[in-house]
Amino acid sequence: MATVAGAVTVPLRANTTGFSAAMAKAAKSLGGVGEQAKKTQKPLANVGAAMAGLAGAMIGIKAASAGLAVFQKFEKSMVRVGAVTKASAAELEELDKKTQQVATTTTYTATEVAEGMSFMAMAGMSAAQVMGGIQTAAELAMAANMDLAQSTDVLTNIMRGMGVETIDLQEAADVLTATMTQSNTTVQMLGEGMKYVAPLAKSAGLSLEDVSAAMGLLGNAGIQASMAGTTLRQAISKMAN
């Protein structure tokens, strides 16, 4: 039995020795792989840094392009204002200053202010009248929670339809604001309704205050916008007849 045990022990030791040698060789190979990975890591880090720099540059280019587009839109609006109002170089400079001033005292950007000015100019206002009225138009837009260009367009359309002089822009804005805040209607609804009733109301001798108050009362009854305008027009027509 001793002989058999000794015969078994010798091969086991030999196998263990071979296993240890194999493990040592494998460890050496893995160490080589680790060294190679370290050598590769630095170039990869450089590539990562380069990609990050490229991404940053692309973001900068995109931001610059967006800024240029905004500036071009602002310039286009100001050129339109100057052309329509036939403003002098001095007036253009004052218009530009007024744009910046309104932009700092309201929630609107200089570009939005310039677009509002262009609607006022297209309504027949002079450069001086535009400068005098843009702050009022911006305040009306804020009260109505509207886009400045849209609000200015509605305001000037109502004024023209009702024959209100540009000098009375502040008064017209006050009337619309009062109607909006005291009845179930909005400036947009008033503008839509005025398209249908303003010319007839003007010829009948009604004032902006009269028509706005009537539309406010109709709004309280759920008759709003174009429906209010047509309803009021029919009523005026019957009274005229």
Side-chain angles (χ1 to χ4, degrees):
M1 293 296 294
T3 304
V4 174
V8 173
T9 302
V10 172
L12 284 174
R13 288 177 179 172
N15 289 341
T16 302
T17 303
F19 178 74
S20 300
M23 289 298 294
K25 186 176 180 181
K28 184 177 181 181
S29 298
L30 289 173
V33 172
E35 290 298 322
Q36 185 63 36
K38 290 179 181 178
K39 292 179 181 179
T40 307
Q41 186 176 6
K42 187 173 181 180
L44 286 175
N46 292 338
V47 171
M51 291 299 291
L54 178 60
M58 292 299 292
I59 292 172
I61 292 171
K62 187 175 181 180
S65 299
L68 178 60
V70 171
F71 177 76
Q72 289 175 336
K73 190 174 183 180
F74 170 76
E75 285 292 301
K76 184 178 180 180
S77 296
M78 292 305 294
V79 168
R80 185 187 300 118
V81 172
V84 175
T85 61
K86 296 180 174 59
S88 64
E91 286 176 324
L92 281 174
E93 185 175 350
E94 290 302 314
L95 283 166
D96 185 74
K97 289 180 181 178
K98 188 65 177 181
T99 300
Q100 304 302 326
Q101 178 189 335
V102 175
T104 58
T105 57
T106 66
T107 59
Y108 301 105
T109 65
T111 301
E112 290 172 325
V113 176
E115 290 176 346
M117 283 183 168
S118 68
F119 276 99
M120 296 175 75
M122 288 186 288
M125 295 186 179
S126 66
Q129 290 169 335
V130 169
M131 283 186 281
I134 187 61
Q135 182 74 41
T136 297
E139 290 170 356
L140 172 64
M142 286 194 297
N145 193 27
M146 292 175 64
D147 175 82
L148 178 53
Q150 181 189 12
S151 172
T152 306
D153 187 33
V154 170
L155 174 60
T156 53
N157 285 344
I158 290 174
M159 290 175 65
R160 283 184 295 183
M162 291 298 303
V164 178
E165 298 293 331
T166 54
I167 194 173
D168 296 322
L169 183 144
Q170 177 69 64
E171 182 181 350
D174 289 343
V175 169
L176 297 181
T177 302
T179 304
M180 172 191 68
T181 56
Q182 297 174 19
S183 65
N184 185 24
T185 190
T186 66
V187 171
Q188 296 99 316
M189 291 177 180
L190 290 172
E192 185 65 25
M194 289 287 184
K195 293 178 183 179
Y196 299 89
V197 70
L200 181 60
K202 176 187 173 183
S203 64
L206 297 176
S207 67
L208 176 59
E209 290 88 339
D210 296 330
V211 179
S212 294
M215 291 190 69
L217 291 173
L218 288 172
N220 290 339
I223 304 172
Q224 302 161 326
S226 59
M227 186 180 294
T230 53
T231 300
L232 193 54
R233 183 181 63 187
Q234 292 171 358
I236 295 172
S237 296
K238 290 179 179 179
M239 287 189 293
N241 292 334

